[in-house]
Amino acid sequence: MTTGLRAERITVRYGSNTAVDAVDIAVTRGEVVGLIGPNGAGKTSLIDAVTGLTPMADGRVILDDIDITNWAPHRRANAGMRRTFQSLRLFDDLTVTENLVVAAETDSRLGFLRDLFRPRQVPIATERALAMTGLESYASAFPRDLPAGTRRLVGVARAVVSEPAVILLDEPAAGLDTTETRELGNVLLRLAASGVGLLLIEHDTELVFRVSDQVVAIDFGKEIASGPAEEVRRSEILISAYLGTATEHEPHP
């Protein structure tokens, strides 16, 4: 059995525009795979398709050797695929712990019955997610009162708390300073070491290459480079198309 995610020939079209063109992504448990590319390259369209939020024109999605291509987003999530969004979507009127408890509930009826018999008990998975993301001291805080970096970690913890096989992270370092970004990177490495597979979509290439085992680069919806992180970092086509050392590349809309 291959544990983790395989997304094969993922193709997304919006009318006559092909946003993602037959891209392959594989993320095994315990591995960080970076997905990079310029603005408009198709990164978010790709993960929207993989998570079922956007219809695919072609391709298939395999999670732990089960074909989930035709599954609804909530069923994919319950099967072990979670994601974060660029907009955090936190409940600012709930504490950090309460945000995680809500995220952990995959069946509201079971959650209701559990609350009847054990209303004060914080689930072990919630405590584990707080510890894994370094948020124990913020457990009783409200997200609206936290700095940007800590809020981003709450978003990651919400994805972690259901103990998924794979987490897809959409620009988790957006708006963070250098110190916050480094701490986020440390958290991602801890998560991978715990056995979670991570697909990291991020503009901060320093972060991506620091934490990733493999990197896939796309441009105009097509894969332009993939492989071990250090090999991709040295790829001439990547340097030309993305890292800004050449000027002949066309600007993205």
Side-chain angles (χ1 to χ4, degrees):
M1 174 181 285
T2 302
T3 56
L5 169 69
R6 295 200 323 272
E8 302 173 346
R9 305 184 314 280
I10 304 301
T11 303
V12 178
R13 296 192 180 97
Y14 302 115
S16 61
N17 176 47
T18 300
V20 183
D21 191 355
V23 174
D24 295 331
I25 295 282
V27 185
T28 60
R29 296 192 190 218
E31 177 184 49
V32 181
V33 176
L35 176 62
I36 61 176
N39 286 329
K43 302 183 297 297
T44 296
S45 292
L46 174 61
I47 65 168
D48 283 348
V50 170
T51 54
L53 296 179
T54 294
M56 293 188 301
D58 191 19
R60 65 176 188 158
V61 180
I62 312 295
L63 184 66
D64 286 349
D65 283 338
I66 300 172
D67 191 329
I68 64 171
T69 303
N70 297 316
W71 289 16
H74 73 274
R75 190 178 176 194
R76 300 184 196 207
N78 290 346
M81 178 190 295
R82 293 292 171 129
R83 70 168 291 179
T84 67
F85 293 85
Q86 294 179 32
S87 57
L88 290 177
R89 306 185 181 187
L90 302 177
F91 297 106
D92 280 336
D93 56 343
L94 299 180
T95 67
V96 169
T97 294
E98 290 167 341
N99 266 271
L100 269 58
V101 170
V102 169
E105 298 296 350
T106 58
D107 188 314
S108 59
R109 290 170 298 174
L110 289 176
F112 174 75
L113 290 173
R114 182 167 56 247
D115 287 344
L116 284 178
F117 293 101
R118 295 185 298 169
R120 293 186 176 86
Q121 183 170 352
V122 176
I124 293 175
T126 299
E127 295 178 344
R128 187 179 297 119
L130 288 170
M132 190 72 65
T133 53
L135 291 171
E136 302 102 312
S137 61
Y138 299 101
S140 299
F142 292 93
R144 61 174 176 265
D145 299 326
L146 300 176
T150 307
R151 285 175 57 84
R152 286 283 173 187
L153 290 178
V154 176
V156 174
R158 277 171 53 93
V160 170
V161 71
S162 61
E163 301 181 321
V166 177
I167 302 174
L168 293 77
L169 301 123
D170 194 357
E171 298 191 24
L176 304 189
D177 62 27
T178 302
T179 300
E180 291 170 330
T181 298
R182 178 164 294 278
E183 177 53 30
L184 172 65
N186 293 339
V187 168
L188 299 183
L189 290 172
R190 288 201 298 271
L191 292 177
S194 75
V196 180
L198 302 175
L199 179 60
L200 173 62
I201 296 86
E202 185 54 61
H203 281 291
D204 188 330
T205 55
E206 182 178 348
L207 171 63
V208 171
F209 286 113
R210 180 167 80 88
V211 304
S212 297
D213 301 288
Q214 304 283 324
V215 172
V216 176
I218 63 175
D219 196 11
F220 292 105
K222 294 178 179 291
E223 178 187 305
I224 60 171
S226 66
E230 193 54 39
E231 289 183 14
V232 173
R233 185 202 289 268
R234 297 194 303 266
S235 166
E236 291 184 6
I237 190 170
L238 177 68
I239 292 170
S240 174
Y242 184 62
L243 296 184
T245 59
T247 59
E248 68 274 11
H249 185 62
E250 297 179 18
H252 285 65

